[in-house]
Amino acid sequence: MKVDASNPLWRFRGITSTAMLFFAYLYLPIVILIALSFNENRLATIWTGFTTDWYAAALSNDDMLRAAKNSLVIAISATVIATIAATLAAMGMSRGRFRGETGVSAILALPLLVPEVVTAIATLLFFVAIGIKLGLVTIIIAHTVFCIPFAYLPIRARIEGMDPSLREAANDLYANEWQAFRRVTLPLLWPGILSGAMLSFIISLDDFVISYFVGGAGATTLPIYIFGMIRIGITPEVNAISAMMLLVSIVFVSISFIIDRIRY
């Protein structure tokens, strides 16, 4: 690992080894999980040989596929709604300073700061108070609210980097608000929108706490299904499902990062 000698942090003896131990502690269990997903033995912690049968078993598990379908429906619905709301919020916030702007920004960022279990309990109490039956719809609503800040931040950052004179030029050329947005703003903004959408999708797909609290009968998502499997013992099938979810998460986060780096 290349060390920046000009950084005073690296002058402390042992900082490099401490950083390496930290990353090993963080990522080594994930590497072990992926390795054990190919374990031939049904006892996940005892290696007896290499096999891919557990991936085939996971993909042919009807209950798991049903839970995965629920997760996809929730994630796609929440992503679309959250991204549209985040785009409108970012466009509105970019029009100039106004009274209460700081408060609105704080409200938009609040789901990122509040512990997720607090958000889940508060959302559950809200649904119970207004008499909404728990199910897929309540999870979609809760995930939408939770995902808006994750979609908002990349979109707002993209808008902040845009040259405001481009929209002014469109107005000078007699373009109305919709034409200026469709032909100028949107083509420049789409990497931020797509990045925020992908980030929201993976956040919703992987969420357990909110789904566990506000989901009802028949609304089992993939993380909840995995949690139920772990309660009766960890098997290579659980490791295989977890490894596939990890792969999907890595792919989406990587694509989101790459898209967000696209310049004008």
Side-chain angles (χ1 to χ4, degrees):
M1 182 175 61
K2 187 177 180 180
V3 176
D4 184 5
S6 63
N7 190 340
L9 180 62
W10 295 107
R11 297 176 186 175
F12 291 97
R13 182 176 298 178
I15 189 66
T16 303
S17 57
T18 302
M20 293 177 66
L21 286 173
F22 168 77
F23 284 111
Y25 173 79
L26 192 63
Y27 293 109
L28 189 58
I30 298 176
V31 175
I32 294 174
L33 179 145
I34 295 174
L36 290 177
S37 68
F38 296 101
N39 185 13
E40 187 179 38
N41 196 330
R42 185 165 185 83
L43 296 176
T45 57
I46 302 176
W47 181 269
T48 57
F50 180 88
T51 184
T52 58
D53 291 344
W54 297 111
Y55 285 88
L59 293 174
S60 61
N61 187 325
D62 291 336
D63 292 334
M64 190 213 76
L65 294 177
R66 192 177 301 110
K69 180 182 177 181
N70 288 340
S71 290
L72 287 174
V73 170
I74 293 168
I76 292 173
S77 302
T79 296
V80 171
I81 301 172
T83 303
I84 292 174
T87 302
L88 294 176
M91 293 288 296
M93 293 290 289
S94 67
R95 291 187 174 276
R97 298 193 63 84
F98 57 90
R99 189 175 183 181
E101 179 183 5
T102 303
V104 174
S105 298
I107 292 174
L108 288 171
L110 193 60
L112 299 175
L113 304 176
V114 176
E116 193 173 351
V117 66
V118 176
T119 301
I121 294 173
T123 306
L124 173 61
L125 293 176
F126 172 75
F127 288 144
V128 172
I130 62 177
I132 296 181
K133 184 179 179 181
L134 300 181
L136 288 179
V137 174
T138 54
I139 299 179
I140 291 172
I141 295 172
H143 280 207
T144 299
V145 175
F146 185 69
C147 289
I148 286 176
F150 293 95
Y152 173 80
L153 293 177
I155 297 172
R156 182 61 192 273
R158 191 75 181 183
I159 291 178
E160 292 292 333
M162 289 174 54
D163 187 353
S165 63
L166 296 175
R167 282 182 291 182
E168 295 173 0
N171 294 330
D172 290 340
L173 294 173
Y174 303 103
N176 57 35
E177 289 288 334
W178 167 246
Q179 290 174 329
F181 173 77
R182 182 169 60 89
R183 296 189 178 184
V184 178
T185 305
L186 186 60
L188 297 176
L189 195 58
W190 76 263
I193 295 175
L194 193 55
S195 177
M198 287 190 172
L199 195 58
S200 298
F201 178 83
I202 206 61
I203 291 296
S204 176
L205 188 69
D206 292 345
D207 181 79
F208 168 77
V209 176
I210 293 178
S211 301
Y212 185 79
F213 276 85
V214 303
T220 300
T221 62
L222 193 54
I224 294 176
Y225 178 77
I226 294 174
F227 176 72
M229 294 181 69
I230 291 176
R231 295 179 66 181
I232 60 176
I234 299 176
T235 65
E237 185 178 359
V238 175
N239 294 337
I241 297 172
S242 302
M244 287 188 287
M245 287 194 67
L246 175 65
L247 178 62
V248 172
S249 300
I250 291 174
V251 169
F252 272 84
V253 172
S254 300
I255 294 175
S256 174
F257 176 78
I258 293 171
I259 291 175
D260 194 48
R261 303 285 292 181
I262 296 176
R263 301 300 178 187
Y264 304 112

